[in-house]
């Protein structure tokens, strides 16, 4: 595994629509491993392949236990071709991005999502998530379509520099 360089806002690779994964093979799993290490090192709670300059539909997510409620389990995901097939409700919460260091803003998102994807064994999976976990999934899937969280902010005055501690909790 290796830590990759994270692409920053302004780089055109963050604005491209990423290419669909045809087969999950060893090279894709190796990329997911590198992304995993890069995300933990940053640290962040999620990372999408375009953020390491690779135009593939691949995301990794690591949300610590207790994210919304004390009994919420830790969430660890490596997903190819993730697609939101159902969403409902609305939440507004603080969000940051590893490609926009030091900044965060209030982003509206669906409160619950169902995501169809392919796991690292090339098997179809269906993931249901609510609250913060649903937020992270939506943020990462947006990256695959060249969308940044700043595009989703309705009240631009909420976009502000945050402390390192605050940033580390919301960077994805
Ligand atoms: Zn991001």
């Amino acid at each position: 595994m290796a830590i990759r360089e994270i692409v920053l806002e302004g780089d055109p690779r963050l604005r491209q629509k990423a290419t669909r994964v045809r087969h999950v093979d060893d090279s894709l799993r190796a990329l997911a491993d590198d992304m995993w290490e890069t995300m933990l090192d940053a640290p962040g709670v999620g990372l999408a392949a375009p953020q390491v300059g690779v135009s593939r539909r691949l995301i990794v997510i690591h949300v610590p236990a207790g994210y919304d409620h004390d009994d919420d389990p830790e969430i660890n995901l490596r997903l190819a071709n993730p697609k939101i097939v159902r969403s409902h409700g609305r939440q507004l919460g603080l969000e940051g991005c590893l490609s926009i260091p030091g900044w965060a803003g209030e982003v509206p998102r669906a409160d619950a999502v169902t995501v169809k994807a392919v796991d690292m064994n090339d098997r179809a999976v269906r993931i249901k998530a609510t609250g913060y976990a649903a937020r992270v999934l939506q943020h990462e899937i947006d990256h695959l379509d060249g969308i940044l969280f700043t595009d989703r902010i309705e009240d631009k005055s909420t976009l502000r520099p945050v402390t390192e501690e605050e940033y580390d909790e919301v960077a994805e």
Side-chain angles (χ1 to χ4, degrees), residues 5 24 37 41 47-48 62 64 74 82 97 112 128 146 153 159 165:
E5 195 178 332
V24 174
E37 197 175 349
D41 175 69
L47 192 69
H62 169 69
E74 181 175 293
C97 180
K128 285 188 176 188
I153 295 178
L159 185 64
E165 194 180 24

Side-chain angles (χ1 to χ4, degrees), residues 10-121:
D11 189 306
R13 289 174 292 179
L14 283 177
R15 292 304 189 175
Q16 285 170 359
K17 199 170 159 68
T19 306
R20 203 178 153 73
V21 172
R22 284 171 174 272
H23 302 288
V24 174
D25 55 15
D26 284 345
S27 76
L28 194 88
R29 281 187 281 268
L31 171 61
D33 285 347
D34 282 1
M35 286 169 56
W36 188 262
E37 197 175 349
T38 304
M39 170 183 68
L40 295 186
D41 175 69
V45 294
L47 192 69
Q51 291 181 281
V52 293
V54 179
S55 183
R56 313 285 304 272
R57 301 188 82 80
L58 177 66
I59 63 173
V60 297
I61 287 174
H62 169 69
V63 179
Y67 55 90
D68 284 332
H69 308 286
D70 287 345
D71 58 350
D72 287 335
E74 181 175 293
I75 296 178
N76 297 301
L77 295 169
R78 298 170 191 220
L79 301 173
N81 301 332
K83 185 172 187 257
I84 294 167
V85 291
R86 285 187 72 176
S87 64
H88 62 88
R90 183 182 146 102
Q91 56 169 318
L92 190 64
L94 196 66
E95 206 166 300
C97 180
L98 291 173
S99 297
I100 309 175
W103 290 78
E106 296 282 334
V107 185
R109 296 283 186 188
D111 191 45
V113 294
T114 302
V115 172
K116 267 175 69 174
V118 175
D119 71 11
M120 291 301 101
N121 296 314

